[in-house]
Amino acid sequence: MTPTLFDVYEILGLAMDGEPVTCRAISDLHEFIENNLGIFPTEGNLTIIKHSRLKANFRELPLDATPVEVVIYTRVYLLFLISITIFVDASVATVPTRYLQFFEDIEQASRFVGGIVILAYLYRSLRKAFTFKRRYFSGSATLMQ
């Protein structure tokens, strides 16, 4: 039996109606990352963010955190969370920078229709696993259980 949209709603509690999830082009990744995470990347591929970098910079919220810092740490947590639970790729320990745009406005993050995207990502990952004979699984293991 394959997971359905109803399963995504029931198991993960994600909405099935709302705004579509689309990525816009990001013209300046340095500025985008600095504005959303408060860190200025100096090296490497800016289209991805390593989990180790997120952990090193945002492991624990300071006790005297400002409201802006709370929002930044929340963004990082959500970014990390979706990369290890929903858009899982066992071959890499990174998250695409473009996912950060869905958490620019934390209060509006729930308006997106995430359930359809998660299911499409899972089906695409399963197709790749069977077509290319991969040794690892990508996608939400929670839905596959």
Side-chain angles (χ1 to χ4, degrees), residues 3 117-126 137-140 143-144:
V117 174
I118 291 164
L119 195 59
Y121 183 82
L122 176 65
Y123 287 158
R124 182 173 178 256
S125 298
L126 289 172
F137 173 74
S138 296
S140 176
L143 284 177
M144 288 306 294

Side-chain angles (χ1 to χ4, degrees), residues 89-104:
D89 187 346
S91 66
V92 295
T94 61
V95 59
T97 305
R98 68 179 174 263
Y99 292 170
L100 189 55
Q101 64 187 280
F102 303 118
F103 305 117
E104 283 182 291

